[in-house]
Amino acid sequence: AAGVIQSPRHLIKEKRETATLKCYPIPRHDTVYWYQQGPGQDPQFLISFYEKMQSDKGSIPDRFSAQQFSDYHSELNMSSLELGDSALYFCASSLGRVNTGELFFGEGSRLTVL
Amino acid sequence: AQSVAQPEDQVNVAEGNPLTVKCTYSVSGNPYLFWYVQYPNRGLQFLLKYITGDNLVKGSYGFEAEFNKSQTSFHLKKPSALVSDSALYFCAVSASGGSYIPTFGRGTSLIVHP
């Protein structure tokens, strides 16, 4: 079965550079979530989209922005990168915004900021 | 606000022995509880969930979890551990009438020794 696809899997950037992460949800899933997981940390919710509109906002820095496109894929744009942005970034998708539904996670994109 | 506590950073168990990974939660409203597993450098995978009904929930790979409302707990269990069960386990909660965005615990590293 098709899963959530994230690209790139690994990314190395310098401080103050920009980075873009992409996420392709499971077909027919209309809700996309972005999480940031620092080393040894639990996943922290950043932002979510439902039907191409921003749905919920978590601890996403102002330097970050995201959007969901007409084909439901999503991109997370990160600017003025800082060392502390080094983390594993997960995208997850679900069918609808349902409290009772599980999330389907991608493999993650590992960002290293030097 | 909803929260999850996983009191143990690490759980060690011998192969063939039963295992328990603890989780307690705090929510307003009825809780919806989830367990996810994360293998190194991989995304989180859904194991099982409790929404309503029978307090004992069975999930993937022989895992089960018991919902205890009076103790606000949702401990993950398996009767006989395998070395391949070694991974990071996350408990998550959402709630009726609350945000559909699940809140994750900090994770518990399960190490199964041969």
Side-chain angles (χ1 to χ4, degrees):
Chain A
V4 176
I5 306 297
Q6 290 188 246
S7 67
R9 292 294 310 279
H10 300 274
L11 192 60
I12 299 175
K13 291 287 185 179
E14 300 278 344
K15 281 196 305 184
R16 292 180 289 278
E17 285 190 321
T18 62
T20 297
L21 306 181
K22 296 184 179 182
C23 169
Y24 296 85
I26 291 173
R28 295 190 303 279
H29 280 194
D30 50 17
T31 308
V32 168
Y33 313 73
W34 286 98
Y35 283 84
Q36 177 192 57
Q37 185 180 29
Q41 303 295 315
D42 57 296
Q44 293 291 314
F45 170 69
L46 293 178
I47 195 167
S48 65
F49 293 87
Y50 170 68
E51 282 292 342
K52 293 156 278 186
M53 299 287 288
Q54 181 181 307
S55 177
D56 282 80
K57 203 169 182 180
S59 53
I60 185 169
D62 292 340
R63 298 176 289 107
F64 292 10
S65 65
Q67 57 182 324
Q68 187 179 30
F69 294 87
S70 58
D71 64 350
Y72 293 98
H73 95 271
S74 178
E75 295 185 4
L76 178 66
N77 300 293
M78 300 175 284
S79 62
S80 302
L81 288 170
E82 303 173 354
L83 296 178
D85 296 328
S86 295
L88 200 50
Y89 291 82
F90 288 109
C91 172
S93 72
S94 68
L95 185 58
R97 297 178 301 169
V98 182
N99 300 38
T100 57
E102 63 267 32
L103 303 186
F104 295 82
F105 284 81
E107 300 277 290
S109 293
R110 182 171 295 282
L111 171 66
T112 302
V113 181
L114 302 176
Chain B
Q2 57 199 37
S3 65
V4 170
Q6 293 182 243
E8 303 152 316
D9 287 338
Q10 185 172 301
V11 170
N12 291 277
V13 65
E15 188 173 31
N17 283 0
L19 70 87
T20 299
V21 182
K22 295 180 180 177
C23 170
T24 58
Y25 65 90
S26 174
V27 295
S28 299
N30 293 322
Y32 303 134
L33 295 152
F34 305 81
W35 276 102
Y36 289 82
V37 59
Q38 183 181 30
Y39 297 98
N41 298 312
R42 303 292 294 274
L44 280 71
Q45 297 176 36
F46 169 76
L47 273 181
L48 51 79
K49 66 180 178 182
Y50 170 82
I51 303 302
T52 187
D54 194 349
N55 288 345
L56 185 63
V57 178
K58 294 187 183 296
S60 308
Y61 313 119
F63 283 94
E64 57 189 28
E66 186 165 14
F67 171 64
N68 187 316
K69 188 173 183 177
S70 63
Q71 296 185 4
T72 61
S73 67
F74 189 57
H75 300 332
L76 182 69
K77 301 180 180 184
K78 187 173 182 181
S80 178
L82 299 173
V83 172
S84 57
D85 292 331
S86 298
L88 199 53
Y89 290 81
F90 289 95
C91 182
V93 66
S94 61
S96 63
S99 173
Y100 67 97
I101 306 292
T103 298
F104 286 85
R106 65 179 184 177
T108 299
S109 178
L110 172 66
I111 299 175
V112 181
H113 303 277

